[in-house]
Amino acid sequence: MSDDGEPGGTAGRPMLDVLKGSGITDILVTVTRYFGGTLLGTGGLVHAYSDSVKAVLEACQTEELVEKSSFTFSVEYPLYEIVMRFLSSFHTDSIKEDFASQVLISGCIWTSEASSLEDGIRNLSKGKSQVQFLQ
């Protein structure tokens, strides 16, 4: 935390207190204040910086911090709906589908569930589809 040119304890500490109170971890907030000619005083500065961080926290979307793996695989059209229902049982996000001669499906999955996805796709496709995990 830093007050970086503001009076001591009027910027960094109030912002850090708001962050700590939110319970969110692994976050960085930077606030830039442009002087508009009005002196806020120490109380006004504390409120301005605290309110800025509160506004950011209200707007941000959070998620549990877990290791994820990117994957891709293709399936034949008759398996598409079955595979999509199967995928819904996992913690996945950023799912994309490309409809060509087969359906190419890609996305992210919790790494702890990757082997179950791989086994399930292999079984559903009777060995015709292989999940590839990207680095």
Side-chain angles (χ1 to χ4, degrees), residues 9-51:
T10 60
R13 174 57 63 188
M15 291 181 355
L16 182 60
D17 290 343
V18 172
L19 287 175
K20 283 183 173 179
S22 73
I24 299 172
T25 61
D26 299 304
I27 187 171
L28 169 77
V29 176
T30 301
V31 175
T32 302
R33 184 177 79 90
Y34 294 95
F35 182 65
T38 303
L39 297 174
L40 299 177
T42 56
L45 288 171
V46 168
H47 285 290
Y49 282 105
S50 297
D51 291 347

Side-chain angles (χ1 to χ4, degrees), residues 91-112:
H91 294 96
T92 59
D93 60 64
S94 305
I95 300 296
K96 294 185 176 128
E97 303 145 342
D98 183 23
F99 298 91
S101 60
Q102 291 191 331
V103 184
L104 179 65
I105 300 170
S106 61
C108 293
I109 187 169
W110 286 11
T111 301
S112 62

Side-chain angles (χ1 to χ4, degrees), residues 24-79:
I24 299 172
T25 61
D26 299 304
I27 187 171
L28 169 77
V29 176
T30 301
V31 175
T32 302
R33 184 177 79 90
Y34 294 95
F35 182 65
T38 303
L39 297 174
L40 299 177
T42 56
L45 288 171
V46 168
H47 285 290
Y49 282 105
S50 297
D51 291 347
S52 295
V53 175
K54 288 175 188 173
V56 167
L57 293 177
E58 287 174 11
C60 83
Q61 296 178 348
T62 62
E63 65 180 62
E64 184 177 354
L65 180 62
V66 293
E67 183 179 357
K68 294 181 181 181
S69 298
S70 297
F71 66 85
T72 186
F73 63 90
S74 58
V75 294
E76 296 175 353
Y77 278 88
L79 286 178

